[in-house]
Amino acid sequence: MTHGSELSVRMRRVLEASRPVVFRALTDPLELARWWGPDGFTVPSVESDLRPGGAYRIAMRPPEGDPFCLVGEFLQVEPPERLAYTFRWEDPDPEDRETVVTLSLHDIGPARSELILDQGHFASERRRALHEEGWSQGLGKLGELLASQRD
């Protein structure tokens, strides 16, 4: 999504779980490690101080290659409806810059939630598209995980 000269990602997903269950999946290190990242990636570790001003660090391992880390700081932690944090790579690509991710949860029925994700603003369309693909795949895995827990 492009707003004028601002490059951002906005996604909407309907998830088969209540807001508290989804919020836990978005914030609990063990839950997060089960779905985070693009297809084929694993998450060897998640460190998290879940409070405004608290830091987090997520180690991601691609299917082939060395792990790399995502780090940031929580800006808003409002269970079960809102989470916002800064997002930056520990060793950034020259085209990268710190962005802000905001996740908003809304009830849409019994044990169903709507997740709205916003992230921006990116330095280039290439980096925006890379994040959009990663979020799309990761949120797909989150949806599958939550649906499987209902069975």
Side-chain angles (χ1 to χ4, degrees):
M1 176 183 299
T2 305
H3 300 288
S5 62
E6 299 172 347
L7 297 170
S8 61
V9 170
R10 182 174 181 89
M11 296 185 164
R12 175 188 179 270
R13 294 288 185 276
V14 173
L15 301 168
E16 299 299 321
S18 66
R19 288 187 312 160
V21 170
V22 175
F23 194 87
R24 185 172 54 251
L26 295 171
T27 57
D28 178 89
L30 295 176
E31 291 289 314
L32 194 68
R34 295 176 67 190
W35 65 267
W36 182 267
D39 293 345
F41 278 63
T42 57
V43 177
S45 69
V46 178
E47 300 165 26
S48 176
D49 180 9
L50 187 62
R51 62 179 177 81
Y56 72 90
R57 184 172 189 263
I58 302 172
M60 300 171 60
R61 184 186 317 269
E64 297 175 10
D66 295 326
F68 55 93
C69 293
L70 156 66
V71 296
E73 178 181 308
F74 292 104
L75 303 173
Q76 293 178 301
V77 179
E78 301 170 12
E81 44 197 59
R82 190 171 176 85
L83 182 68
Y85 49 88
T86 60
F87 185 118
R88 67 181 169 82
W89 301 109
E90 236 175 26
D91 296 312
D93 180 280
E95 286 185 46
D96 276 329
R97 65 175 165 210
E98 183 174 271
T99 58
V100 173
V101 174
T102 303
L103 302 164
S104 303
L105 292 165
H106 308 279
D107 285 323
I108 57 170
R112 291 185 84 209
S113 303
E114 174 189 57
L115 171 66
I116 304 291
L117 175 144
D118 289 292
Q119 183 181 11
H121 298 290
F122 295 94
S124 71
E125 171 57 29
R126 188 174 76 83
R127 298 308 287 180
R128 187 207 67 77
L130 182 77
H131 282 256
E132 183 174 56
E133 180 180 10
W135 278 118
S136 182
Q137 292 175 10
L139 293 178
K141 292 189 294 186
L142 173 62
E144 291 170 10
L145 174 68
L146 294 170
S148 74
Q149 292 174 346
R150 290 184 61 159
D151 297 338

